[in-house]
Amino acid sequence: MTITGGCQSGAVRYRVEGAFGDPHLCHCRMCQKASGNYFQPFGLVQHRNFALVTGEPKWFASSEPARRGFCGECGTPLFFELLGKGRIGVSLGSLDDPASVKPVSAYGAESRVPFIAEVCAIEGEPYDTESPTIASVAATNRQKSGQERRE
């Protein structure tokens, strides 16, 4: 099985061969800050099963034993790595098909926001594609899909 992903701009693309280990949600405060969100989903991949296809991520040493990779062009959070462990955490939201890997566990529960279950249960509605604002966003979208190549 080959799984691909990358950043919003297409500057950094990667490929994973095989299944992800321990796909999970991390609620820790560091992941909240790094993702700008209430939690961050990751799946673990052995280095031998991971390859950068396009570009190079920028890295931030978020602690002594860990670093976080992100796109230097668009800022998309992509990776988390505990140094010397032989594996890398890939941000599941950066997969070309994020629904292809379902989280099965959660960590950092002490920092989980107390209303997360309620927020996830909010019934959603699709965007109004007739709205001038939504139409403008769609017409000028600079996000690259997994099929598009950087120019």
Side-chain angles (χ1 to χ4, degrees), residues 7-74:
C7 67
Q8 187 173 21
S9 69
V12 179
R13 300 277 309 145
Y14 61 84
R15 180 181 62 247
V16 172
E17 299 294 337
F20 282 85
D22 191 27
H24 63 276
L25 304 178
C26 187
H27 294 272
C28 84
R29 193 65 188 120
M30 286 178 67
C31 283
Q32 289 172 348
K33 289 294 240 179
S35 67
N37 211 322
Y38 296 131
F39 58 85
Q40 181 147 18
F42 285 111
L44 303 179
V45 179
Q46 297 297 315
H47 280 257
R48 67 180 175 273
N49 297 332
F50 173 84
L52 287 169
V53 175
T54 304
E56 289 287 331
K58 300 284 187 191
W59 293 94
F60 171 67
S62 57
S63 64
E64 191 67 30
R67 66 183 188 157
R68 294 171 185 272
F70 61 96
C71 175
E73 184 174 308
C74 66

Side-chain angles (χ1 to χ4, degrees), residues 7-11 73-74 136-145 148-151:
C7 67
Q8 187 173 21
S9 69
E73 184 174 308
C74 66
S136 174
V137 168
T140 61
N141 183 354
R142 294 183 184 95
Q143 181 167 305
K144 304 290 185 192
S145 74
E148 295 178 75
R149 298 285 181 235
R150 262 182 73 72
E151 297 173 24

Side-chain angles (χ1 to χ4, degrees), residues 3-6 13-14 20 23-25 41-43 90-104 143-146:
I3 297 173
T4 57
R13 300 277 309 145
Y14 61 84
F20 282 85
H24 63 276
L25 304 178
F42 285 111
V90 174
S91 175
L92 298 178
S94 71
L95 299 177
D96 291 336
D97 180 9
S100 67
V101 180
K102 179 182 174 182
V104 297
Q143 181 167 305
K144 304 290 185 192
S145 74

